[in-house]
């Protein structure tokens, strides 16, 4: 579940509109198309000399009536001492590997490592320029040939009502066979709106910490991408604290109105204590990415008290469920019908999301994992009206 909808595989039209959807729509917010010129095709640091990762823009929504546009480097001045930024430390895997099935060339996207040694995978067909298009999953028992003599045996769909992702058992079944395969033969998952291949380092955030068992995210937790070491230091000097957690994202789950699949997460005791202390002291808890919201809210009780927790979460954050811990969300700009939009509405309200997206279009903000970012803050009267 990519933090900015970076895994979306469509939406390359030539016009855009924002409208309130009908009753029963997935989010009530529709962008009928994303203009091609608003697709971020390369990382910010490649758009001109002297630019860094933080050379993106920051749209700030404060409640349902205020939206402003800033440089992302201004973030320290938009937050307060005592605020806590919750960040995802998951590394991005080189999760795309060339393969063959029954004499047909395919690309396997490795999504999620299961507890039993299996991996959830998605089969994709080559579409030129090292991009891919959908390919039917299965059938059960099919053997996918991988580089280096490795194989995958497809066993069953990840979900009974969808067969896009399949559980597959590596063969030979050495514990670290897949991480080694990805290191030797994998490349980052890439989508057609990007201009060219990028090194894996372009998909790692400054917060990434490699896991001992080789686990990671199939797609970058992209809301953290614009942060640099210098910006983190300036935020700390401002009195903003950082609380790390981990959620390993699978391949994008926003296609065809799909809800997010279960994902592995871990919230450390130190992070739980820091978040609880901030809330008790009047500080705001701001999640960096939808992944951080999902993990943090999974570790909270009904009163919003966070505990150390880990395992698998199937939590879907909706306006009806609401959020118990999070006061704000820093995220990318999401696809027209992405399920993530429900989470944005849960944090800030439908009116705020609708207004923010109207301004994103009007201000020509850039979409996807290399694009601009959006800070949504709840209406907050505890500390006055200023950020």
């Amino acid at each position: 579940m990519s933090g900015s909808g970076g895994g979306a595989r469509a939406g390359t039209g030539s016009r855009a509109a924002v409208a309130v959807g009908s009753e029963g729509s997935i989010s009530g917010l529709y962008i009928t198309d994303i203009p091609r010129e608003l697709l971020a095709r390369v990382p910010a640091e490649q758009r001109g000399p002297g630019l860094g990762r933080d050379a993106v823009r920051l749209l700030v929504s404060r409640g349902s009536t205020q939206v402003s546009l800033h440089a992302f480097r201004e973030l320290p001045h938009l937050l307060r001492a005592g605020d806590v930024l919750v960040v995802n430390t998951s590394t991005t895997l080189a999760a795309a590997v060339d393969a063959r099935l029954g004499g047909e060339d395919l690309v396997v996207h490795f999504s999620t490592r299961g507890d039993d040694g299996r991996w959830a995978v998605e089969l994709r067909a080559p579409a030129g320029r090292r991009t891919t298009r959908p390919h039917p999953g299965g059938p059960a028992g099919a053997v996918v040939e991988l580089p280096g003599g490795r194989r995958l045996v497809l066993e069953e769909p990840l979900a009974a009502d969808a067969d896009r992702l399949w559980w597959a058992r590596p063969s030979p079944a050495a514990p670290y066979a897949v991480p080694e395969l990805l290191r030797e033969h994998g490349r980052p998952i890439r989508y057609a709106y990007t201009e060219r291949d990028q090194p894996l380092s372009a998909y790692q955030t400054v917060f990434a910490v490699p896991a001992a068992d080789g686990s990671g995210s199939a797609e970058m937790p992209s809301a953290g991408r614009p942060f640099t070491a210098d910006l983190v230091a300036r935020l700390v000097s401002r009195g903003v604290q950082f609380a790390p957690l981990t959620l390993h994202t699978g391949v994008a789950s926003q296609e065809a109105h799909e809800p997010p699949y279960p994902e592995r997460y871990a919230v450390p005791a130190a992070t739980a204590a820091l978040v609880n202390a901030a809330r008790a002291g009047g500080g705001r808890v701001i999640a960096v990415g939808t992944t951080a919201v999902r993990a943090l809210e999974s570790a909270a009780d009904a009163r919003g008290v966070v505990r150390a927790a880990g395992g698998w979460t199937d939590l879907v954050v909706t306006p009806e469920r609401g959020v118990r811990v999070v006061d704000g969300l820093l995220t990318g700009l999401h696809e027209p019908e992405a399920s993530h939009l429900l989470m944005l509405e849960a944090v800030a309200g439908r009116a705020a999301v609708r207004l923010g997206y109207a301004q994103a279009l009007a201000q020509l903000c850039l979409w996807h994992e290399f694009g601009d970012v959006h800070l949504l803050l709840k209406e907050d009267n505890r500390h006055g009206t200023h950020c």
Side-chain angles (χ1 to χ4, degrees):
M1 176 164 73
S2 167
S4 63
R9 306 159 201 231
T12 56
S14 59
R15 60 187 179 82
V18 177
V20 176
S22 60
E23 286 296 318
S25 68
I26 187 171
S27 68
L29 177 76
Y30 282 93
I31 307 162
T32 57
D33 243 335
I34 302 172
R36 294 182 64 86
E37 63 270 19
L38 299 188
L39 304 176
R41 300 185 182 280
V42 296
E45 61 271 24
Q46 297 178 17
R47 295 178 196 145
L51 297 180
R53 285 177 170 233
D54 55 359
V56 298
R57 294 186 295 169
L58 172 64
L59 196 69
V60 181
S61 294
R62 302 173 184 85
S64 60
T65 60
Q66 299 182 60
V67 182
S68 56
L69 189 64
H70 307 264
F72 187 74
R73 295 188 187 98
E74 297 177 60
L75 184 61
H77 303 292
L78 298 170
L79 300 180
R80 301 190 292 248
D83 287 343
V84 173
L85 291 175
V86 181
V87 298
N88 188 357
T89 63
S90 180
T91 59
T92 307
L93 301 175
V97 178
D98 292 328
R100 290 182 65 81
L101 175 60
E104 180 183 8
D105 288 335
L106 293 177
V107 177
V108 176
H109 286 177
F110 285 83
S111 179
T112 305
R113 183 182 65 83
D115 293 333
D116 58 0
R118 298 187 299 176
W119 280 75
V121 301
E122 180 186 23
L123 303 185
R124 306 281 294 180
R129 297 175 58 245
R130 294 170 74 89
T131 62
T132 62
R133 62 178 183 272
H135 184 279
V143 177
V144 179
E145 300 174 16
L146 300 170
R150 297 178 175 91
R151 298 180 300 165
L152 281 176
V153 180
L154 302 180
E155 294 190 349
E156 59 182 338
L158 186 63
D161 55 350
D163 65 354
R164 183 168 67 90
L165 292 179
W166 279 67
W167 284 116
R169 191 170 298 278
S171 177
Y176 297 100
V178 170
E180 290 172 357
L181 170 74
L182 301 185
R183 285 194 294 270
E184 294 171 8
H185 300 286
R187 60 185 180 273
I189 292 175
R190 180 187 161 205
Y191 295 95
Y193 53 77
T194 57
E195 187 173 289
R196 55 182 175 268
D197 283 352
Q198 297 290 340
L200 184 59
S201 60
Y203 293 88
Q204 304 293 6
T205 74
V206 71
F207 307 112
V209 178
D213 64 359
S215 296
S217 290
E219 296 182 2
M220 173 176 52
S222 54
R225 190 184 192 279
F227 287 86
T228 63
D230 176 71
L231 183 62
V232 170
R234 289 200 293 120
L235 284 161
V236 171
S237 68
R238 173 80 170 172
V240 175
Q241 301 181 81
F242 286 84
L245 51 72
T246 302
L247 185 139
H248 296 312
T249 69
V251 297
S253 56
Q254 303 97 304
E255 291 189 351
H257 305 280
E258 293 173 0
Y261 290 105
E263 293 169 317
R264 182 184 284 113
Y265 79 105
V267 176
T271 288
L274 181 58
V275 168
N276 292 334
R279 296 183 73 236
R284 295 175 300 185
V285 177
I286 299 171
V288 178
T290 58
T291 59
V293 176
R294 195 181 199 200
L296 195 61
E297 293 287 328
S298 296
D301 65 19
R303 297 175 297 128
V305 176
V306 180
R307 67 195 186 284
W312 292 84
T313 178
D314 58 1
L315 176 66
V316 180
V317 178
T318 65
E320 292 73 25
R321 189 263 186 195
V323 289
R324 299 166 181 171
V325 183
V326 174
D327 300 302
L329 169 61
L330 181 70
T331 184
L333 295 169
H334 298 280
E335 284 286 318
E337 296 172 352
S339 60
H340 289 323
L341 291 171
L342 293 171
M343 182 184 291
L344 272 61
E345 291 184 5
V347 172
R350 175 171 294 185
V353 180
R354 183 185 180 196
L355 179 62
Y357 271 68
Q359 283 300 303
L361 291 168
Q363 299 291 341
L364 303 181
C365 293
L366 297 180
W367 256 254
H368 296 312
E369 69 267 41
F370 298 137
D372 297 319
V373 287
H374 188 189
L375 174 61
L376 298 108
L377 298 169
K378 288 182 178 179
E379 295 193 66
D380 183 0
N381 297 318
R382 291 176 300 166
H383 306 275
T385 59
H386 299 289
C387 256

